[in-house]
Amino acid sequence: MWLIDSSIGRKVVMSVTGAALVFFLTFHMAMNCAALFSADAYNAVCEFLGANWYALVGTVGLAALVLIHFIYAFWLTFQNRKARGAQRYAVTEKPSTVEWASQNMLVLGIIVIVGLGLHLLNFWSKMQLQEILGSQAIVDGKAVSPTDGAALIQYTFSQWYYVVLYCIWLFALWFHLTHGIWSAIQTLGWSGKVWHRRWQVIGNIYATLLVLGFASVMFLYFGKSLMA
C-alpha cells in the first residue's frame, strides 16, 4: 500500500492527519474564546459537548489522528536519517535556506505531545472523563461539576507554573504549525513557485492567530487571579 510503503505516501498521511488536527485546534480555540466574554457561555459549550455520543466519537477520532500523526512522524524521521546515513555528519553549518523549525519538527512534536498530556490531565480527566464515570472533579479540594470548564480554567491558570508550562507548549506549537501548515500544503500539491512563499506567510499568520487565541484565555484568567 503506497500510503505505507512509499515516502510520498507517508508524507501524505502526515499532511492529512496534520490538517485535520489543525482544524480541531481551530475549533478548540474558538470554543475557548467564549470564556473571554462569558463564563456561562463557555460552560454551555462544555455542557453541549461533554460526554454526549458525538463528543465521544470525536474524542476517539482525535486520539486516532494524534496517534497516527505521531507514529508517522517518528517513521519519517527514522527513514530520513537512515537514507542520509553518515552524510548527516558531513557538515556542521546549517543551510541558511532551511528553517530551524523544519530541522526540529520531531523535537517540537514531542514537546507538543507532552503538553497535550498535561492538558488532558488538567481538563479532559476532570471534565469528559468524570462525566463518563458519573462523578465530579476535585479542584483545590472542592467538588466541581465536570461541565464547569470556567472554574477549571480559573483554577489552572491561577497557578503561575501552569502558565509557564503552557507558554512553553504554545511556543513549541507555534513553531510546529508554522512549518507544518505550509509543508502539508506543499505535499498535497497546492503550492507552486509563486504560492510557496505565500503559503508560508499564510501558515505563519494562521499559527499566530491560533496560539494568540489560546494564550489570550490563559493570560486573562491569570490576570484575574492576580487581581483577586
Side-chain angles (χ1 to χ4, degrees):
M1 186 176 181
W2 73 278
L3 291 175
I4 297 175
D5 298 334
S6 71
S7 176
I8 296 297
R10 290 190 289 270
K11 288 181 180 179
V12 168
V13 172
M14 280 287 293
S15 298
V16 172
T17 56
L21 291 172
V22 169
F23 284 129
F24 167 76
L25 284 173
T26 303
F27 165 76
H28 193 25
M29 183 271 290
M31 181 186 80
N32 281 11
C33 283
L36 293 172
F37 308 102
S38 169
D40 290 337
Y42 180 68
N43 286 345
V45 175
C46 294
E47 188 171 358
F48 173 74
L49 294 174
N52 296 305
W53 69 267
Y54 43 83
L56 294 176
V57 170
T59 300
V60 173
L62 178 62
L65 285 172
V66 171
L67 183 61
I68 293 171
H69 193 75
F70 191 63
I71 290 174
Y72 270 73
F74 267 105
W75 193 356
L76 278 170
T77 300
F78 175 76
Q79 291 294 329
N80 290 339
R81 287 179 179 272
K82 184 178 179 181
R84 289 199 305 268
Q87 291 183 359
R88 68 178 183 271
Y89 304 109
V91 292
T92 56
E93 184 179 354
K94 297 178 181 179
S96 59
T97 55
V98 178
E99 297 180 359
W100 179 85
S102 68
Q103 294 182 322
N104 295 276
M105 284 296 281
L106 184 61
V107 174
L108 291 169
I110 291 173
I111 296 175
V112 170
I113 288 294
V114 172
L116 176 61
L118 175 66
H119 194 59
L120 291 174
L121 180 65
N122 283 333
F123 292 97
W124 179 81
S125 68
K126 297 174 182 177
M127 297 179 74
Q128 190 179 72
L129 179 60
Q130 295 304 319
E131 201 168 350
I132 293 171
L133 297 175
S135 182
Q136 289 186 314
I138 303 299
V139 178
D140 198 23
K142 301 177 182 177
V144 175
S145 169
T147 60
D148 193 356
L152 290 172
I153 290 177
Q154 180 65 68
Y155 172 75
T156 302
F157 297 131
S158 66
Q159 315 299 316
W160 67 267
Y161 47 87
Y162 279 134
V163 174
V164 172
L165 290 174
Y166 272 81
C167 281
I168 295 173
W169 183 30
L170 292 175
F171 183 75
L173 180 63
W174 185 85
F175 272 109
H176 194 74
L177 290 175
T178 53
H179 174 73
I181 291 174
W182 74 260
S183 179
I185 290 170
Q186 186 179 43
T187 297
L188 296 174
W190 298 339
S191 177
K193 291 183 178 179
V194 175
W195 274 90
H196 178 75
R197 181 58 185 166
R198 292 177 182 176
W199 280 122
Q200 282 185 306
V201 173
I202 292 171
N204 289 349
I205 294 173
Y206 199 92
T208 300
L209 291 175
L210 269 179
V211 169
L212 286 177
F214 285 116
S216 61
V217 176
M218 176 178 68
F219 285 119
L220 173 67
Y221 279 80
F222 179 61
K224 285 183 177 181
S225 71
L226 292 178
M227 293 185 292

